[in-house]
Structures are given as C-alpha cells and as structure tokens.
Amino acid sequence: MSALVIGALASASPVSAQSAVSQGQSLAFDRGKGNCLTCHEIKGGDLPGTIGPPLKDIKSKYPDRNELVAIVADETKRNPQTVMPPFGRNHILTDQEINAVVDFLQTL
C-alpha cells in the first residue's frame, strides 16, 4: 500500500471522504466486484452470506486502518487458511477501491 494513497485519503475533504464511503459501499454491495455480501452480513445489504463474520463495529475491532486494508488486500498473508479472496493480489480491486471499501467498513 502506498503511503501516498493513504496520505491522500487522510487529507481528503469531508465531501471527498463521503464520496469514498459511498463508492466503498457500492463496491461492497456489488455482486460483480467487491461482493462482500456473498460472505458477510452488512447493515443495509440484501441476501447476505454467512461464511464470514457479520461486518459491524469494524472501527473498534480494527482501530489500525492499515490492518483492515491488509485484510481486504490479501488476508492469506495473515491467515493462509482463509477463504476470503485476496482482492488486491488478484487484482479484483485496485488500491483506490480497497481504500474506499475500508472507508465504508469503518462506518459500520
């Protein structure tokens, strides 16, 4: 993860931050892209899966934003037995999209 990308998001205006959260929610709910709902229950999402844990209280569970970015990008580095796809390593999501998803997750 580029420090430049993280720094750019950290200094984003409230409007930019809100659009990143909206983009992240769209990606998380998009069955063809982020597809988080296939495995996780997310407030506001339809037909969630139950393979992964419910996504709630994320900011308190993962106060270090970089840890959450790493999980979404490639959870296999932390847990080789995971069934979670490595969204970054497999180029399913770009770094910008992963950051948007994390922005959204931190609002849950």
Side-chain angles (χ1 to χ4, degrees), residues 53 61-62 67-68 70-72 74-82 84:
K61 291 176 186 173
Y62 299 100
E67 183 180 2
L68 192 53
I71 289 169
V72 175
D74 189 355
E75 173 63 354
T76 64
K77 289 181 179 178
R78 192 174 80 142
N79 176 6
Q81 302 302 314
T82 187
M84 185 165 165

Side-chain angles (χ1 to χ4, degrees), residues 4-62:
L4 180 62
V5 171
I6 293 169
L9 288 173
S11 64
S13 69
V15 173
S16 296
Q18 183 57 42
S19 67
V21 168
S22 296
Q23 179 191 16
Q25 181 178 15
S26 293
L27 288 164
F29 289 179
D30 184 333
R31 297 290 181 171
K33 188 78 171 158
N35 206 17
C36 302
L37 282 171
T38 294
C39 298
H40 300 279
E41 179 183 327
I42 305 171
K43 183 180 177 182
D46 294 327
L47 303 170
T50 58
I51 295 169
L55 298 180
K56 60 183 180 179
D57 302 320
I58 298 298
K59 201 163 190 172
S60 65
K61 291 176 186 173
Y62 299 100

Side-chain angles (χ1 to χ4, degrees), residues 89-100:
R89 188 184 78 209
N90 285 354
H91 307 289
I92 298 166
L93 297 174
T94 66
D95 287 347
Q96 181 181 1
E97 290 170 330
I98 289 169
N99 275 289

